[in-house]
Amino acid sequence: MTNSFRVSKANHLRRRLADHAASALAVAATIIVVAPLVAIFVYLLYKGASSLNLDFFTKIPKGPGETGGGMANAIWGSAILLGIGSLLGVPIGIAAGIFLAEYGRGSKLANIVRFTADVLNGVPSIVMGISVYSLIVLPQKHFSAFAGGVALGIMMIPTITRTTEEMLLMVPHAIREAALGLGVPNWRSVLSITLRTASPGVITGCMLAFARVAGETAPLLFTALGNQFWSSSLNEPIAALPLQIYTYAISPYDDWHRLAWAGALVLILLIMVSVSLVRYVTTRGVLKGAN
Amino acid sequence: MGVGIQVDNLNAWYGSNHTLLDINLHIPANQATALIGPSGCGKSTFVRCLNRMHETNPVAKVTGSVRIGEIDIYADASPVEIRRRIGMVFQRPNPFPTMSIYDNVASGLKLNGFRNRRVTDEVVERSLQQAALWDEVKNDLKKKSGASLSGGQQQRLCIARALAVDPEVLLMDEPASALDPVSTAKIEDLIFQLKSQYTIVIVTHNMQQAARVAERTGFFLSGKLVEFDSTHKIFTNPGDKRTEDYITGRFG
């Protein structure tokens, strides 16, 4: 009598083959995902590393055709623009996410906010630039770092809002009940318990938004404009790494091309460093013992 | 010290679902009162009405009166004040995962704006001792996360957290149903000791547990309180046929 539960030899072999095939597919997919990043990074290192020196970080650009000079003003300008953008985008984005997940659940307003955020996420960045141009630059009659920062900030909001909402919804209901059961007011429970429990995911969302706008060129063309000189004023045009890379890359000078490659490398490195730094600080401080 | 609870004409709904029908009973101070009954009979809803947790569900509704000591909890106070005076322990241990053991116990004080370090230290130690957890965790208070403890320890941590805000009543919604027999025995010992200082209401599926820890027992069925009497009477000589059927396991 045959036992139908027992796996025959041939059957067993077939299962093992299927298992290996599935693993191989997963590994292949992983390689396809990682390969472009590695390729870009290696190519940037190859093209840009040789032009990186102290001057690149300390000098401002030289005139057209002259060799030497650096991108100190563009690095500084990007820092200012991203600072303004984050100051605007992170609090508004997180607050809107809290509204969606904790207060507006199922309400009409929440559905409108959620839909708006999703549409805003899909708006081409050049359109964002033109909008901020007509809202801030035209009335003020001049380009400014402030306008650039606002454009980047608005672009950060939808990503942060939607990830914050998703992450807050993942916090178990039992945790909220525990806080309410202790007689903690709802707002306090939302900020100190729910948001704190969800903070690793919320921070990831903020970092994603930050990294995305750090490389944006289009919204800055109409707002921050770019600047060949050192500037820290929020009321004047300011340089930014992506803008500077763009200007140099379309120029006819070999030396500027080399600087553009170096600028692209620095931009990627700066994004990587700031993202890792935030992750390091937050996992050590706020979330210690959070597993 | 604990206070008594007087419930009059309590009705509760989830949406259009009428889950509690005209509940009247008096829960005496400084005793343990057990609530038994099949799943979905309304006993959990009932305890959640006692600290106004029921209304955290947007479709929930309550009518009737609940008096804890001198206070009518639906007329005289805000839900936040009520929940500070009436602690709750839930079915599944739910320590705050981002907090250390110490911060979990101190959370009720800290989140309500209490800042005195020395007093907080004392309260944390006293609460953990009351919850019979102090000796097991005293060396890792600030080093270990509340979520790193075993299930039984987590539940005792949650009891310590509830005790730290100095409530008068402790509501326990099936506090041992997710725990192994050893941890369950520890929780039952705890209830025995705590009832000298607090009024305890415990929902349980386990009839032996009700018989072991409670002076009085109420039997719920389909949203009604069928019988409420001394535990001894309920388990030896119940007045209602349905109670007898349930406790003898003849219930279909």
Side-chain angles (χ1 to χ4, degrees):
Chain A
M1 211 175 88
T2 52
N3 187 337
S4 59
F5 293 114
R6 189 166 295 160
V7 179
S8 72
K9 263 228 166 93
N11 210 345
H12 183 64
L13 187 69
R14 196 176 55 78
R15 287 180 179 202
R16 277 187 50 184
L17 279 176
D19 181 36
H20 286 307
S23 304
L25 273 176
V27 170
T30 310
I31 292 171
I32 292 171
V33 170
V34 176
L37 176 68
V38 175
I40 291 172
F41 196 65
V42 169
Y43 195 62
L44 279 179
L45 272 177
Y46 165 69
K47 288 287 229 178
S50 56
S51 310
L52 278 186
N53 49 35
L54 195 61
D55 277 1
F56 185 89
F57 295 98
T58 54
K59 296 250 166 75
I60 65 170
K62 289 251 171 91
E66 288 180 69
T67 51
M71 287 200 185
N73 60 335
I75 296 172
W76 177 238
S78 269
I80 288 184
L81 288 168
L82 288 168
I84 301 172
S86 302
L87 279 179
L88 185 77
V90 170
I92 296 181
I94 291 181
I98 290 175
F99 169 76
L100 289 182
E102 302 291 331
Y103 293 100
R105 225 183 282 183
S107 76
K108 207 167 191 181
L109 182 61
N111 287 334
I112 295 173
V113 171
R114 194 176 294 114
F115 180 73
T116 311
D118 288 344
V119 173
L120 200 59
N121 219 352
V123 170
S125 55
I126 188 92
V127 175
M128 200 67 80
I130 296 170
S131 312
V132 175
Y133 174 79
S134 47
L135 283 174
I136 296 180
V137 177
L138 282 184
Q140 287 197 319
K141 299 196 174 60
H142 60 81
F143 296 99
S144 66
F146 175 70
V150 169
L152 296 188
I154 295 176
M155 292 193 64
M156 290 174 81
I157 291 172
T159 316
I160 297 177
T161 297
R162 294 291 269 137
T163 34
T164 302
E165 184 196 6
E166 301 287 329
M167 293 303 141
L168 288 176
L169 290 178
M170 276 169 62
V171 174
H173 189 61
I175 303 285
R176 295 163 215 260
E177 286 207 316
L180 292 179
L182 284 171
V184 176
N186 195 36
W187 66 270
R188 192 70 211 250
S189 157
V190 167
L191 290 183
S192 304
I193 303 295
T194 323
L195 187 61
R196 193 171 148 188
T197 309
S199 58
V202 173
I203 290 164
T204 304
C206 294
M207 289 290 93
L208 270 175
F210 178 89
R212 189 189 150 201
V213 300
E216 280 292 350
T217 320
L220 297 179
L221 287 171
F222 295 96
T223 52
L225 187 68
N227 192 335
Q228 292 296 306
F229 303 100
W230 183 272
S231 168
S232 290
S233 165
L234 300 187
N235 257 322
E236 280 167 37
I238 200 166
L241 269 174
L243 280 176
Q244 201 76 12
I245 294 166
Y246 174 70
T247 314
Y248 277 19
I250 59 170
S251 78
Y253 313 111
D254 281 347
D255 194 51
W256 278 18
H257 290 167
R258 277 193 292 279
L259 281 175
W261 282 112
L265 177 61
V266 168
L267 183 58
I268 278 211
L269 285 175
L270 284 181
I271 293 173
M272 281 165 97
V273 167
S274 47
V275 169
S276 333
L277 206 69
V278 168
R279 204 162 274 284
Y280 177 74
V281 169
T282 48
T283 46
R284 273 183 80 247
V286 195
L287 303 166
K288 204 161 84 175
N291 4 359
Chain B
M1 285 305 276
V3 292
I5 304 170
Q6 178 66 44
V7 179
D8 292 302
N9 300 319
L10 187 74
N11 282 272
W13 291 262
Y14 280 113
S16 59
N17 196 0
H18 198 167
T19 44
L20 283 181
L21 293 89
D22 280 324
I23 308 295
N24 294 283
L25 83 168
H26 178 76
I27 295 169
N30 294 97
Q31 289 190 0
T33 298
L35 304 176
I36 59 170
S39 296
C41 67
K43 55 196 191 307
S44 283
T45 306
F46 176 73
V47 289
R48 292 172 67 89
C49 286
L50 298 184
N51 68 343
R52 299 188 65 173
M53 281 300 281
H54 177 63
E55 66 197 69
T56 58
N57 186 325
V59 299
K61 208 182 101 187
V62 185
T63 64
S65 95
V66 176
R67 303 183 76 83
I68 307 243
E70 293 304 304
I71 302 168
D72 183 333
I73 66 164
Y74 285 99
D76 303 341
S78 75
V80 169
E81 290 168 70
I82 289 304
R83 292 177 201 140
R84 259 176 241 175
R85 299 186 55 179
I86 304 171
M88 187 158 201
V89 177
F90 298 86
Q91 183 170 2
R92 295 201 158 270
N94 53 1
F96 299 126
T98 56
M99 293 188 190
S100 66
I101 294 168
Y102 180 96
D103 286 338
N104 258 289
V105 181
S107 58
L109 298 176
K110 284 189 176 171
L111 293 174
N112 282 317
F114 189 80
R115 286 278 171 273
N116 186 325
R117 261 256 184 95
R118 197 179 49 80
V119 176
T120 307
D121 283 349
E122 286 170 15
V123 168
V124 168
E125 176 169 353
R126 192 199 67 213
S127 307
L128 284 168
Q129 267 165 351
Q130 280 182 300
L133 189 60
W134 175 252
D135 291 330
E136 292 161 59
V137 300
K138 63 184 172 193
N139 296 321
D140 320 294
L141 283 181
K142 297 189 180 179
K143 274 182 280 175
K144 274 194 179 173
S145 148
S148 68
L149 299 173
S150 75
Q153 288 174 323
Q154 284 188 21
Q155 194 61 301
R156 278 178 285 148
L157 178 65
C158 292
I159 292 173
R161 180 176 66 185
L163 296 178
V165 291
D166 200 24
E168 292 149 281
V169 178
L170 197 56
L171 307 175
M172 304 177 112
D173 189 357
E174 299 182 43
S177 66
L179 306 180
D180 66 84
V182 176
S183 303
T184 301
K186 281 187 180 158
I187 301 281
E188 288 178 10
D189 282 348
L190 212 52
I191 295 171
F192 234 89
Q193 283 155 26
L194 291 174
K195 65 188 175 189
S196 62
Q197 297 164 63
Y198 307 92
T199 303
I200 293 178
V201 182
I202 174 173
V203 169
T204 179
H205 268 299
N206 180 330
M207 283 179 274
Q208 288 76 25
Q209 186 171 64
R212 281 192 296 265
V213 301
E215 278 85 4
R216 298 178 77 77
T217 297
F219 172 58
F220 278 78
L221 185 64
S222 312
K224 291 185 189 129
L225 180 63
V226 172
E227 193 170 354
F228 184 60
D229 214 320
S230 77
T231 302
H232 183 74
K233 175 134 193 315
I234 292 275
F235 284 103
T236 54
N237 184 23
D240 194 290
K241 178 82 172 58
R242 291 167 293 177
T243 314
E244 190 182 338
D245 285 350
Y246 183 70
I247 60 167
T248 53
R250 247 179 289 157
F251 205 74

